[in-house]
Amino acid sequence: MKNFALIGAAGYIAPRHLKAIKDTNNNLIAALDKFDSVGMMDSYFPNADFFVEFERFDRYIEKIKRNHISLDYVSICTPNYLHDSHIRMALRRGAVAICEKPIVLNPWNIDALADIEKESQGKINTILQLRLHESILQLKEKVVLQNKKEKYDIDLTYITSRGKWYDISWKGDESKSGGIATNIGVHFYDMLSWIFGDVQENLVHLREKHKASGYLEFENARVRWFLSIDENDLPNNVKEKQQRTFRSITVDGEELEFSKGFTELHTESYKKILAGEGYGLEEVKKSIEIVYNIRNNKILKTGEKHPFLI
């Protein structure tokens, strides 16, 4: 049984990490969040110490270390712009870091963390759950077996409606979230680069606060992508069903079914990390470079555009 601490316990994604820690038969000894609405911890680790101030949390971690209680892992579910700092804290305490995506906002942050990782006793892992999804694994296997000479043509569309709260929260601040493509798209870009190889071209056709669109060309695929949190972008048939999310990936005109199968992927991610098979900094670097360039490339009016822009 390993000892865990969790930073960002009141966040949306935290329950999946709590469940993963419990499902892998490990123990949460401490949790931190400046918000105290963390009653769901009772369903997982009611005896874990909880803190609303980082200083007291850090002092507690130091105290247990001096009492020869090991802290083996730190799970990080905080806002994107804080990941870098909290990873560093985990490594300073000799723990392994498990960080939600995006692991950092800029490529040079990864290089700096790699240096610190080498100097520490710990290791840095990130959650890339799409790599564990059955439909994505089948697609990767298909691509390897087919060994096509021509590139695949892919349309990626992801619309996940958000209310007015989004702009008020840290997610609506690009300096903290990295913007729409980083916040809701980074795991898709990771999946695409994992299956189809290195990026050869990265064009941006639309970049607004609530939506973005562009064209990515990989070694083995041409991808038109569209991301949005605006419910007005939902297709009419989705609106009629009163659904607020639309997720679609077509590969050479064939729809990839991956609407289900997400519930246990964090637990599966933890199993791999605990077995020493987690995804580290090198694996995640491509996707961070993609979203950084989307954030900074100039907007073009020409090129292969997503159907939603035509």
Side-chain angles (χ1 to χ4, degrees):
M1 181 178 285
K2 300 295 184 180
N3 287 329
F4 280 73
L6 187 146
I7 308 177
Y12 162 79
I13 205 67
R16 297 189 193 181
H17 287 260
L18 290 169
K19 184 177 186 299
I21 296 168
K22 189 174 181 66
D23 287 350
T24 52
N25 298 313
N26 292 296
N27 184 43
L28 183 74
I29 58 175
L32 166 70
D33 204 296
K34 67 178 183 177
F35 300 107
D36 58 10
S37 297
V38 293
M40 84 292 183
M41 285 179 57
D42 286 348
S43 300
Y44 300 100
F45 299 101
N47 294 321
D49 285 286
F50 176 68
F51 302 87
V52 294
E53 296 173 60
F54 180 84
E55 292 79 8
R56 292 186 175 183
F57 171 80
D58 191 51
R59 183 178 64 186
Y60 174 81
I61 298 302
E62 174 66 23
K63 178 182 176 182
I64 64 170
K65 183 178 180 180
R66 292 185 181 278
N67 290 332
H68 305 291
I69 299 173
S70 66
L71 175 63
D72 303 299
Y73 293 84
V74 176
S75 298
I76 299 163
C77 308
T78 48
N80 300 348
Y81 72 107
L82 296 175
H83 289 174
D84 184 279
S85 174
H86 292 152
I87 290 170
R88 292 165 184 261
M89 174 268 175
L91 295 180
R92 284 199 305 270
R93 294 303 182 194
V96 172
I98 302 176
C99 187
E100 265 297 337
K101 58 195 172 302
I103 193 165
V104 289
L105 295 180
N106 304 299
W108 58 84
N109 299 140
I110 289 183
D111 297 332
L113 285 176
D115 291 337
I116 297 170
E117 185 180 43
K118 290 177 184 177
E119 298 166 1
S120 74
Q121 299 175 10
K123 180 172 173 51
I124 302 169
N125 299 275
T126 191
I127 301 293
L128 300 173
Q129 75 267 38
L130 281 186
R131 294 193 185 193
L132 305 179
H133 194 286
E134 185 176 353
S135 296
I136 303 303
L137 290 170
Q138 290 173 356
L139 175 61
K140 184 174 176 63
E141 183 180 4
K142 177 182 176 181
V143 169
V144 171
L145 290 174
Q146 284 187 337
N147 193 25
K148 276 180 60 174
K149 293 183 180 179
E150 304 84 13
K151 295 189 179 187
Y152 291 87
D153 288 308
I154 298 173
D155 282 345
L156 164 65
T157 312
Y158 183 45
I159 304 167
T160 176
S161 306
R162 296 290 185 266
K164 293 182 178 180
W165 64 268
Y166 187 95
D167 289 340
I168 305 302
S169 75
W170 62 268
K171 294 182 179 183
D173 184 341
E174 185 175 294
S175 67
K176 294 180 178 180
S177 70
I180 195 74
T182 305
N183 203 37
I184 70 170
V186 67
H187 54 308
F188 290 113
Y189 303 127
D190 170 76
M191 177 268 289
L192 290 167
S193 63
W194 182 56
I195 296 176
F196 298 106
D198 291 336
V199 175
Q200 296 179 336
E201 194 169 24
N202 186 344
L203 307 179
V204 180
H205 297 129
L206 174 71
R207 187 175 59 232
E208 298 177 355
K209 191 168 187 178
H210 294 162
K211 65 190 77 176
S213 185
Y215 172 82
L216 281 163
E217 187 156 341
F218 297 88
E219 291 177 83
N220 298 309
R222 294 181 290 263
V223 182
R224 302 184 298 182
W225 59 270
F226 180 88
L227 305 173
S228 174
I229 60 167
D230 185 350
E231 63 181 341
N232 294 313
D233 291 322
L234 291 167
N236 288 331
N237 64 320
V238 176
K239 292 178 182 177
E240 289 169 2
K241 296 176 185 177
Q242 296 186 327
Q243 296 175 352
R244 293 181 56 80
T245 298
F246 175 70
R247 184 192 291 114
S248 171
I249 296 179
T250 61
V251 181
D252 286 346
E254 182 178 343
E255 187 73 32
L256 176 69
E257 172 53 46
F258 72 118
S259 58
K260 300 178 182 178
F262 286 90
T263 53
E264 298 299 324
L265 293 184
H266 274 73
T267 296
E268 292 304 312
S269 298
Y270 268 64
K271 287 179 180 177
K272 289 183 72 68
I273 291 168
L274 288 161
E277 301 172 359
Y279 297 117
L281 295 175
E282 278 304 309
E283 285 89 350
V284 78
K285 191 171 184 178
K286 287 181 183 179
S287 61
I288 299 302
E289 289 173 343
I290 290 172
V291 293
Y292 173 80
N293 288 327
I294 289 172
R295 202 160 59 239
N296 291 281
N297 285 355
K298 65 179 181 179
I299 298 174
L300 302 176
K301 295 183 179 180
T302 58
E304 189 71 21
K305 295 183 179 181
H306 188 279
F308 279 33
L309 296 186
I310 298 173

